[in-house]
Each structure stands twice: as structure tokens, then as C-alpha cells.
């Protein structure tokens, strides 16, 4: 049994952030009913071009990633007939999940008090750009603005001398992180309600998630009164540790070493690169000597590691005691044996999607494809007890698809 089996989530949300929270809840076992406008649907369905990657036809990963495993109800909640159906669904739900801004929630009568008037015990969960308080709480935003730019991520990654900022590594980067945070908050609220009977209002913003992701760095900056500065592009890494940095291989790939105690791992690294003569070299005899002679050590390691291709180093470093990793692009991750062994990619219809990061009982989540637009409308209406005559009336009024 999945942890959230028997939990129903009504999702009134668009794009990537809040729907990705619904996707996580669905993989944890919840029945997530995605409410989409009866005519236009979720605008995310029209997204085809993301950076250099373009999708033609279906399935479309731009939709599937954040909407896997849900059911779709095409419903116009701006008209009385549609809102009536929404409230009937809310009566059966445990969670109401929305990305709509305060003014829109008020206009559509789907704010906390409106929903709680129908279901006093429902967990009400909101995802926003900038949080529920402050003069900017009513403003919208995307992960590029609220998470990436405003929370300090971009500036901290952008080396000095580069105009502008380093862009995010791909679409929905901050959205997906923030959505997982929101799903965790909802799960905690459900646990509280189970223990106390008291429902919660759960808030997560793109800004709060970005600030949290930067938490260690921001704490250091607040304490020391200075910002973190990115190293110059092409630099080794740590200025006093040759075993914490990036090295290129003979075939143009890169290896990242992160051994924060260089004296502890120096001999083992020397053995694995076939340079036992360096083990007793007085320049690298202890931590202080290694720190003092980091430049020389880096040059030696660059020459040696640069003489062999990545595949050979992967085989040799299989028994290396210190932490290291190949630097991989988004396609190379797909064939990473450790990713595969842990089933971090799962089948969802015709696609493979990255699973949510939580596994229960050492078991990967089971998921399904995103629903076609409004595909389960009639099914959900029948579950609410509506007969065909009533369903036809709703269709005629334009309340449902």
C-alpha cells in the first residue's frame, strides 16, 4: 500500500511548480484530480520548445513531468454551474491545491474560507512566487525570477567578469524543487490532521525554496557580511586542496574530486593513478604541505588524469576511497548505472520520467502518464453521483468539457 492511498487531492493549478507537487502526491498514492479550464486547459500543454530542445507530437515531457498519474477534469469554475461541480468535488477531498494568485482566488471564490465553508477539515495548500505575506505577495512569477534570480542562486553561480547571469540548467528547475517541498508540507499537514483533527493552510513559494536551497551560503553571508563569489570559469576549485576540484580526461570529459581531507586520501589517489612515487614526496607529506603545494599537485594530477579517457578512470576509480564523480550532461545521466540500479527513472506510459526522489521500503514509485486533457471528466462526474442528464446539462452550459 502506498503511503497516501485513499487521499484525494483537488488541484487547481497551472504550469510547473504546483502541478509538480501534485505529481509527487500521485506517486505517493493520492488520487489527484487536475482541474483544467474547460476550453483552454493547462497552458503548459502548449509548451513545445524549451531551450535547445523541441518536442513534436505527443507524448510531451513538458506536460508529463509535472502531471504524471493524475486524472483530468475539464471544468470552467468561473461560471456557477462549474463552481458547483468543483465544490461537490471539494466535499470529497482531503487536500485543495492551487497556484492561483490571491485576487483570482477571491474572484473565483476558491480562497481558504470559501473552500473550508464546504469542507472544514480540508488541507489547503498554496504555491506562490513570493510568499503569502508582504507587499509583493500578490505578484506572480516563475522559477527563473523568484527562485533562480531573486534567491541568490544565479549570482552565486555566475563567475566575475561574465555579463548578466548563468541561466538555469533546464526548464522547471526551481519549479520541481519547490513542488517537492510543497508535497512534503502537505504530507506533514495530513499527518497533523490525523493526529489532532486540525487542518492546516500550507504555503511554499519559489522564493522560499530558492532561499532554502541557498541556506548554507546565505547563513555564511549573513554572518560574515559578504557574498559568496563563484570561482572563475576553468579554475581547478579549492585553492588549498588538489583533491577538491575538476580534472579533464583525454577524451574531453571531466571528473570531479571532492575529498575534503586531502592528507587522508592522497596515498590512495596516487596508487590509483599509478604514481606511487608521490606518496612519500615531501611536498605532499601532510595536510599543511599539500595546502602549500596545491598548485604543483594540481599540475601533476591534470597531466596524469588528462592522459587517459574517462572510461578507464571510471574503471580504475571504482575502488577509490574518496568521493568523486564523472561530470555528466542530461543525456549521460539517463544511462548512468547507479541511476538505473536505483530505478530513479520509471516508465510512465510511453515515456521514461525521473521518479520523485523519495522511495518507501526500498521500492521505486509506480506511476502513470499524464492524462489527456479532460480525459476523465465524465468518470469523475459519475463518481460524484451525477447522472447523464445532469452531465449533458453541464456540457451544454459550457461548464465541463
Amino acid at each position: 500500500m502506498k503511503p497516501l492511498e485513499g487521499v484525494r487531492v483537488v488541484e487547481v493549478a497551472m504550469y510547473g511548480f504546483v502541478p509538480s507537487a501534485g505529481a509527487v502526491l500521485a506517486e505517493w498514492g493520492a488520487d489527484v484530480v487536475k482541474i483544467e479550464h474547460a476550453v483552454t486547459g493547462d497552458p503548459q500543454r502548449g509548451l513545445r520548445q524549451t531551450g535547445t530542445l523541441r518536442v513534436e507530437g505527443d507524448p510531451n515531457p513538458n506536460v508529463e513531468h509535472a502531471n504524471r498519474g493524475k486524472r483530468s477534469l475539464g471544468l470552467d469554475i468561473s461560471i456557477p454551474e462549474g463552481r458547483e461541480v468543483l465544490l461537490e468535488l471539494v466535499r470529497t477531498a482531503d487536500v485543495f491545491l492551487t497556484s492561483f494568485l490571491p485576487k483570482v482566488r477571491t474572484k473565483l471564490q476558491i480562497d481558504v474560507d470559501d473552500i473550508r465553508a464546504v469542507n472544514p477539515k480540508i488541507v489547503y495548500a498554496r504555491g506562490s512566487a513570493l510568499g503569502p505575506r508582504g507587499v509583493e505577495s500578490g505578484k506572480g512569477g516563475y522559477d527563473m525570477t523568484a527562485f533562480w534570480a531573486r534567491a541568490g542562486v544565479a549570482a552565486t553561480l555566475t563567475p566575475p567578469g561574465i555579463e548578466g547571469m548563468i541561466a538555469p540548467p533546464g526548464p522547471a528547475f526551481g519549479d520541481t524543487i519547490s513542488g517537492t517541498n510543497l508535497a512534503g508540507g502537505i504530507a506533514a499537514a495530513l499527518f497533523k490532521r490525523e493526529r489532532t483533527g486540525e487542518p492546516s493552510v500550507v504555503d511554499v513559494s519559489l522564493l522560499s525554496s530558492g532561499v532554502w536551497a541557498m541556506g548554507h551560503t546565505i547563513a555564511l553571508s549573513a554572518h560574515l557580511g559578504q557574498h559568496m563569489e563563484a570561482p572563475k570559469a576553468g579554475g581547478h576549485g579549492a585553492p588549498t586542496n588538489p583533491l577538491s576540484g575538476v580534472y579533464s580526461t583525454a577524451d574531453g570529459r571531466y571528473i570531479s574530486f571532492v575529498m575534503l581531507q586531502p592528507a587522508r586520501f592522497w596515498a590512495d589517489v596516487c596508487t590509483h593513478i599509478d604514481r606511487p612515487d608521490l606518496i612519500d614526496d615531501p611536498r605532499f607529506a601532510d595536510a599543511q604541505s599539500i595546502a602549500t603545494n596545491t598548485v604543483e599537485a594540481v599540475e601533476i594530477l591534470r597531466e596524469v588524469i588528462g592522459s587517459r579517457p574517462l572510461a578507464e578512470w571510471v574503471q580504475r576509480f571504482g575502488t577509490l576511497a574518496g568521493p568523486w564523480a564523472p561530470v555528466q550532461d542530461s543525456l549521460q545521466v539517463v544511462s548512468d548505472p547507479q541511476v538505473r540500479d536505483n530505478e530513479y527513472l520509471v516508465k510512465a506510459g510511453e515515456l521514461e520520467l525521473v521518479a520523485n526522489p523519495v522511495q518507501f521500503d526500498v521500492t521505486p514509485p509506480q506511476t502513470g502518464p499524464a492524462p489527456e486533457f479532460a480525459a476523465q471528466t465524465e468518470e469523475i462526474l459519475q463518481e460524484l453521483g451525477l447522472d447523464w442528464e445532469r452531465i449533458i446539462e453541464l456540457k451544454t452550459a459550457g461548464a465541463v468539457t
Side-chain angles (χ1 to χ4, degrees):
M1 179 176 178
K2 296 181 179 180
L4 294 186
E5 280 189 24
V7 170
R8 171 169 283 179
V9 178
V10 175
E11 177 190 295
V12 181
M14 299 185 296
Y15 295 110
F17 166 23
V18 174
S20 71
V24 173
L25 297 173
E27 287 195 350
W28 292 350
D31 172 24
V32 180
V33 178
K34 181 179 180 68
I35 306 297
E36 302 189 62
H37 188 275
V39 177
T40 59
D42 186 337
Q44 186 83 352
R45 292 187 181 275
L47 181 62
R48 294 290 174 179
Q49 183 81 39
T50 50
T52 59
L53 304 179
R54 180 168 181 80
V55 178
E56 302 289 352
D58 292 321
N60 181 2
N62 293 305
V63 176
E64 300 283 334
H65 171 72
N67 292 290
R68 67 194 66 189
K70 303 176 185 177
R71 299 192 290 165
S72 173
L73 169 60
L75 186 65
D76 185 349
I77 63 176
S78 69
I79 64 176
E81 296 88 346
R83 186 170 181 276
E84 182 182 336
V85 172
L86 175 68
L87 295 182
E88 283 299 315
L89 191 57
V90 164
R91 288 187 178 92
T92 71
D94 299 281
V95 179
F96 185 83
L97 177 60
T98 186
S99 65
F100 284 22
L101 293 169
K103 286 184 179 179
V104 178
R105 297 198 304 265
T106 299
K107 179 182 177 181
L108 295 175
Q109 297 179 283
I110 58 169
D111 218 336
V112 179
D113 291 342
D114 304 307
I115 298 300
R116 289 266 173 88
V118 175
N119 184 343
K121 294 296 186 181
I122 201 165
V123 170
Y124 192 101
R126 303 178 293 210
S128 64
L130 301 171
R133 296 182 296 280
V135 296
E136 297 183 79
S137 59
K139 291 184 177 180
Y142 294 97
D143 62 337
M144 172 71 87
T145 58
F147 181 101
W148 191 255
R150 191 158 185 174
V153 184
T156 306
L157 282 173
T158 304
I162 292 182
E163 186 177 350
M165 69 176 186
I166 296 292
F173 182 76
D175 285 341
T176 302
I177 295 169
S178 304
T180 308
N181 294 342
L182 183 53
I186 290 167
L190 289 169
F191 180 76
K192 175 194 170 187
R193 192 185 69 172
E194 183 73 18
R195 286 289 184 90
T196 68
E198 294 295 324
S200 299
V201 175
V202 180
D203 279 293
V204 171
S205 71
L206 293 166
L207 180 60
S208 73
S209 295
V211 171
W212 170 246
M214 290 290 294
H216 191 158
T217 302
I218 290 173
L220 285 168
S221 293
H223 180 64
L224 299 173
Q226 64 186 88
H227 69 272
M228 180 73 81
E229 190 169 288
K232 292 182 179 180
H236 157 70
T240 58
N241 182 355
L243 300 186
S244 185
V246 176
Y247 292 95
S248 62
T249 62
D251 52 347
R253 294 290 301 277
Y254 292 90
I255 289 173
S256 173
F257 282 168
V258 186
M259 303 175 211
L260 302 182
Q261 299 170 284
R264 174 184 173 188
F265 296 108
W266 181 254
D268 190 43
V269 169
C270 294
T271 300
H272 279 80
I273 65 172
D274 287 340
R275 287 297 303 272
D277 57 297
L278 297 173
I279 294 175
D280 297 320
D281 190 313
R283 294 174 296 172
F284 314 120
D286 52 35
Q288 184 58 53
S289 300
I290 291 173
T292 302
N293 296 290
T294 290
V295 173
E296 294 97 314
V298 168
E299 287 305 313
I300 293 169
L301 291 173
R302 279 178 170 168
E303 181 180 356
V304 175
I305 294 175
S307 68
R308 301 171 189 262
L310 177 66
E312 185 169 341
W313 289 122
V314 168
Q315 184 175 11
R316 283 172 170 266
F317 291 163
T319 55
L320 189 63
W324 72 278
V327 177
Q328 300 186 145
D329 63 31
S330 55
L331 183 58
Q332 289 158 351
V333 171
V334 173
S335 56
D336 186 313
Q338 194 66 13
V339 171
R340 289 297 180 179
D341 288 347
N342 283 282
E343 297 181 79
Y344 292 152
L345 277 81
V346 293
K347 286 289 291 182
E350 298 177 45
L351 294 176
E352 278 194 314
L353 299 176
V354 175
N356 86 84
V358 180
Q359 293 190 0
F360 299 96
D361 304 314
V362 202
T363 302
Q366 300 297 310
T367 193
E372 295 182 9
F373 169 54
Q376 290 79 34
T377 294
E378 293 178 0
E379 171 188 307
I380 295 167
L381 294 178
Q382 288 177 316
E383 288 178 4
L384 294 176
L386 278 64
D387 58 26
W388 278 108
E389 183 177 347
R390 178 62 176 145
I391 293 173
I392 292 172
E393 288 177 358
L394 290 169
K395 287 178 177 286
T396 302
V400 300
T401 303

